[in-house]
Amino acid sequence: MNPVLVEVLRGSAVESRHAGALAIVDASGAVHTALGDVDQPIFPRSAVKLLQALPLVASGAAETFGLNDAELALACASHSGEPEHVATAAGVLAKLGLTANALECGTQWPSREPVLRGMVARGELATPLHNNCSGKHAGFICVACHMAIGARNAGTEPAAFARGYVAAEHPVMREVSAALSAATGIDVEKAPRGTDGCSIPTFALPLRALALAFARCGSGQGLSDANARAARRLRQAVAVAPFMVGGTDRFDTRVMQAYGERVFCKIGAEGVYCAALPELGLGIALKIDDGAVRAAEAAFAAVAQALLKTEDELLRGYSHLQLRNWRGIDVGSLRPAQALSQALAP
Amino acid sequence: MNPVLVEVLRGSAVESRHAGALAIVDASGAVHTALGDVDQPIFPRSAVKLLQALPLVASGAAETFGLNDAELALACASHSGEPEHVATAAGVLAKLGLTANALECGTQWPSREPVLRGMVARGELATPLHNNCSGKHAGFICVACHMAIGARNAGTEPAAFARGYVAAEHPVMREVSAALSAATGIDVEKAPRGTDGCSIPTFALPLRALALAFARCGSGQGLSDANARAARRLRQAVAVAPFMVGGTDRFDTRVMQAYGERVFCKIGAEGVYCAALPELGLGIALKIDDGAVRAAEAAFAAVAQALLKTEDELLRGYSHLQLRNWRGIDVGSLRPAQALSQALAP
């Protein structure tokens, strides 16, 4: 059993508890902090979009198609489906001569409630461009088109070559798997496999290996030159365009708006968080056992405060999130549990 | 630490785990099943709306104002804010000569997505009548008005008397607390207290005592005659009008549509479930430690299948809920964990 990382208070009593595990390591694999079982494989889901985007840059596809900072940041995003996200994803596809029809992520309504309501009020329908993964998928299609116009695939029509890119055996997804393997040091082809929300494969990997991958992405150490350059380029792009990686009032966006290149952080479904703190040479990976987003954000906010030695109100607002009821009355709050606070104590 | 009750699979690997505790007892307090810590106080939240509605019937208020089955069922509800729920809550207030202005539950948009979207498309705004607790609150106001027109409060204007009914020290809430104390056998005034989503007090009580209260409500044993009759009347009303207690596609509604008076069951926020199975003389109370609704429903569905000795597809559909992604692809499922299956084995 993993320790409780985050508690939910109602009044002064603990109402709910979120257990989980946390790994903080450096690029050599040396463990800074390990709490809970950091060797148990977990599905990182969207928390590894930075790793999945490495081939986009490392292959030269991003350069070939002239992707800008916003477009690269969107390739690492779980965005809220706001107009800027939709337009940017459409723009990437337009650079390939393609449309939303090429996306294989499925249709999802924007998670940003006012945007959704505006669409409903105007009688608009959601499209695959609104899917939180549309930027990542547009990036995959860039890689496919770049492969298709490469020497080996001469004669193949790019859009036809891209089709089916979500399948594990497609050349694009093989490149993505190879990047994951290279960064984590684990052959993901041998890892437990599931299908992600956006239909690509997701591989279960230990938190220790995920934290290592992010330490490597923050420092470049332990990566090939091409992947090290790609990681740096993607982190810089996200620092320039943090809105693209999440959206209005989203935790990842707010943290990276505040910290720029000092922090790269990314939520994943089912309570996963991965991050790099380049100035400290550390990578971070955590999983809330029960999959709760609120606890993943609170735990990472506590980790970031401790490692960056800051009393920053933004981070504290998440680690000690105030809970209000329908009348706006304060009814409780989140807080880091003792095991987490002790593990992070100086 | 409580045992894992429900697992979430992605592919064939466990992605997330929900720990919790479960108490099944009879009206004498004899334990049928206890899993995890059933003596640790937990906030039951909306899972005890049946108990909170006892004074509405026991006091004679429901009879005085001529409340029908649908209106009584709505008093026990966490409804989805559908038009029938809103109209029924407004109807109760109209019987008192009052409007939505009397409600102190706060404004909440309907949880039923198509209803919300319809309102947005028509430019309508949510009101306190859409709050999932509006029926319970209309019931509280009935009790207040009934008290005000009673001999002791002669001369008091009912609406003025009702004002502030959500406060713990208001005569209505004192009656509600007394009903909770009588049913659970615990003096709730001495229990840890929080403020609920709808602004009334919520008291932390052991699962063992909550299960006892529901066993008593199912059998009438251990309750005063007035509360026993009230519990029976409310259970019958919910069996006649199960749509009112939840709504379209809601678990509680579907179960009680299928089982009628054989099952009374009610979800509460933060992963709580309470139920009575009158034919077996049993009360059930469970809490998922992390507060997840999906796990509370799955766990209760597993309990109901085991106790009722049924292979019913409706219940199995929740205990083994299929998870689909944005393209409708099966990506995983819920399942009862070993500790729960073993505890429920014949």
Side-chain angles (χ1 to χ4, degrees):
Chain A
M1 289 290 244
N2 286 321
V4 173
L5 300 187
V6 175
E7 292 173 333
V8 183
L9 297 166
R10 180 159 297 265
S12 56
V14 175
E15 178 166 31
S16 297
R17 291 166 178 80
H18 298 282
L22 162 70
I24 308 177
V25 308
D26 70 19
S28 74
V31 174
H32 176 284
T33 301
L35 193 57
D37 187 349
V38 298
D39 294 309
Q40 168 73 26
I42 64 106
F43 286 111
R45 311 289 302 274
S46 289
V48 291
K49 279 177 173 168
L50 178 74
L51 310 182
Q52 293 168 327
L54 291 173
L56 172 61
V57 179
S59 69
E63 196 175 4
T64 297
F65 297 111
L67 266 51
N68 60 29
D69 287 324
E71 291 162 341
L72 289 175
L74 198 74
C76 305
S78 296
H79 65 71
S80 299
E82 300 179 69
E84 300 88 332
H85 303 125
V86 170
T88 304
V92 173
L93 294 169
K95 288 181 175 179
L96 308 173
L98 298 173
T99 68
N101 291 332
L103 293 170
E104 299 180 5
C105 49
T107 294
Q108 179 190 11
W109 284 85
S111 60
R112 172 91 182 140
E113 192 69 26
V115 173
L116 183 152
R117 294 191 188 193
M119 289 175 66
V120 169
R122 293 188 299 274
E124 296 169 11
L125 291 175
T127 73
L129 291 168
H130 295 90
N131 186 306
N132 80 86
C133 298
S134 66
K136 177 179 76 171
H137 280 245
F140 292 152
I141 298 169
C142 280
V143 175
C145 291
H146 186 255
M147 283 177 168
I149 60 178
R152 284 175 303 166
N153 298 294
T156 310
E157 198 264 310
F161 181 79
R163 211 163 292 143
Y165 67 86
V166 294
E169 59 277 12
H170 190 283
V172 169
M173 217 44 64
R174 286 195 183 282
E175 280 299 306
V176 171
S177 295
L180 278 167
S181 296
T184 60
I186 291 188
D187 182 356
V188 303
E189 301 291 353
K190 295 180 180 153
R193 182 185 299 189
T195 302
D196 214 325
C198 67
S199 298
I200 70 166
T202 177
F203 303 98
L205 303 167
L207 287 170
R208 182 199 296 272
L210 292 164
L212 172 64
F214 279 83
R216 287 171 164 179
C217 284
S219 67
Q221 288 173 45
L223 296 179
S224 68
D225 286 353
N227 276 340
R229 276 195 303 271
R232 179 136 193 259
R233 178 75 189 91
L234 289 166
R235 287 193 297 104
Q236 288 172 334
V238 170
V240 169
F243 180 84
M244 285 298 153
V245 99
T248 306
D249 288 342
R250 287 279 301 277
F251 179 57
D252 289 338
T253 292
R254 295 182 71 193
V255 170
M256 294 192 280
Q257 280 172 339
Y259 288 89
E261 276 191 66
R262 295 183 64 197
V263 178
F264 176 87
C265 61
K266 183 71 187 65
I267 190 105
E270 292 288 332
V272 183
Y273 226 93
C274 288
L277 300 183
E279 72 194 45
L280 301 175
L282 296 174
I284 300 157
L286 67 87
K287 158 83 180 174
I288 302 300
D289 291 350
D290 59 76
V293 170
R294 66 181 180 185
E297 292 184 342
F300 176 69
V303 169
Q305 284 169 85
L307 294 179
L308 296 172
K309 302 186 197 306
T310 171
E311 302 278 320
D312 179 47
E313 279 185 29
L314 168 65
L315 293 171
R316 196 179 156 82
Y318 282 92
S319 64
H320 292 76
L321 189 71
Q322 279 292 320
L323 304 175
R324 294 188 171 79
N325 77 1
W326 297 115
R327 289 172 85 191
I329 299 168
D330 275 352
V331 292
S333 62
L334 305 192
R335 73 177 177 198
Q338 195 177 21
L340 181 57
S341 297
Q342 283 178 349
L344 296 172
Chain B
M1 288 292 244
N2 287 321
V4 173
L5 300 187
V6 176
E7 292 173 332
V8 183
L9 297 167
R10 180 159 298 264
S12 55
V14 174
E15 178 167 30
S16 298
R17 293 164 177 82
H18 298 281
L22 163 70
I24 308 177
V25 307
D26 70 19
S28 75
V31 173
H32 176 283
T33 301
L35 194 56
D37 187 350
V38 299
D39 294 309
Q40 168 73 26
I42 64 105
F43 287 111
R45 310 290 302 274
S46 289
V48 291
K49 279 177 173 168
L50 178 74
L51 310 182
Q52 292 169 326
L54 291 173
L56 172 61
V57 179
S59 69
E63 196 174 4
T64 298
F65 296 111
L67 265 52
N68 60 30
D69 287 324
E71 291 163 341
L72 288 175
L74 198 73
C76 305
S78 296
H79 65 72
S80 299
E82 299 179 69
E84 301 86 332
H85 303 125
V86 170
T88 304
V92 172
L93 293 169
K95 287 181 176 179
L96 308 173
L98 298 173
T99 69
N101 291 333
L103 293 171
E104 299 180 5
C105 50
T107 294
Q108 179 189 10
W109 284 85
S111 61
R112 173 91 181 140
E113 193 67 27
V115 172
L116 183 151
R117 293 191 189 193
M119 290 175 65
V120 170
R122 292 188 299 274
E124 297 169 10
L125 292 176
T127 73
L129 291 168
H130 295 90
N131 186 305
N132 80 86
C133 297
S134 66
K136 177 178 76 172
H137 280 245
F140 291 152
I141 298 170
C142 279
V143 175
C145 290
H146 185 255
M147 284 178 168
I149 61 177
R152 284 175 304 166
N153 297 295
T156 310
E157 198 264 311
F161 181 79
R163 211 162 293 141
Y165 67 86
V166 295
E169 60 276 11
H170 190 283
V172 168
M173 216 42 64
R174 286 195 183 281
E175 280 298 306
V176 171
S177 295
L180 278 167
S181 296
T184 60
I186 290 188
D187 182 356
V188 303
E189 301 290 354
K190 294 180 181 153
R193 181 185 298 187
T195 302
D196 214 325
C198 67
S199 297
I200 70 165
T202 178
F203 302 98
L205 302 167
L207 288 170
R208 182 200 296 271
L210 292 164
L212 172 63
F214 279 83
R216 286 172 163 179
C217 284
S219 67
Q221 289 172 46
L223 297 180
S224 68
D225 286 353
N227 276 340
R229 276 195 303 271
R232 180 136 193 259
R233 179 75 189 90
L234 289 165
R235 287 194 297 104
Q236 288 172 335
V238 170
V240 169
F243 179 84
M244 285 297 154
V245 100
T248 305
D249 288 342
R250 287 279 301 276
F251 180 57
D252 290 338
T253 291
R254 295 181 72 192
V255 171
M256 294 192 278
Q257 279 171 339
Y259 287 89
E261 277 191 67
R262 294 183 64 197
V263 178
F264 175 86
C265 61
K266 183 70 187 65
I267 190 104
E270 293 287 331
V272 182
Y273 226 93
C274 288
L277 299 183
E279 72 194 45
L280 300 175
L282 296 174
I284 301 155
L286 68 87
K287 158 84 180 174
I288 303 300
D289 291 349
D290 58 76
V293 171
R294 65 181 180 187
E297 292 184 342
F300 176 68
V303 169
Q305 283 169 85
L307 295 178
L308 296 172
K309 301 186 196 308
T310 171
E311 302 279 320
D312 178 45
E313 279 184 29
L314 169 65
L315 292 171
R316 197 180 154 80
Y318 282 92
S319 64
H320 292 76
L321 188 72
Q322 279 292 320
L323 304 174
R324 294 189 171 80
N325 76 2
W326 297 115
R327 289 173 84 191
I329 299 168
D330 275 351
V331 292
S333 61
L334 304 192
R335 74 177 176 198
Q338 195 176 22
L340 180 58
S341 298
Q342 283 178 349
L344 296 173

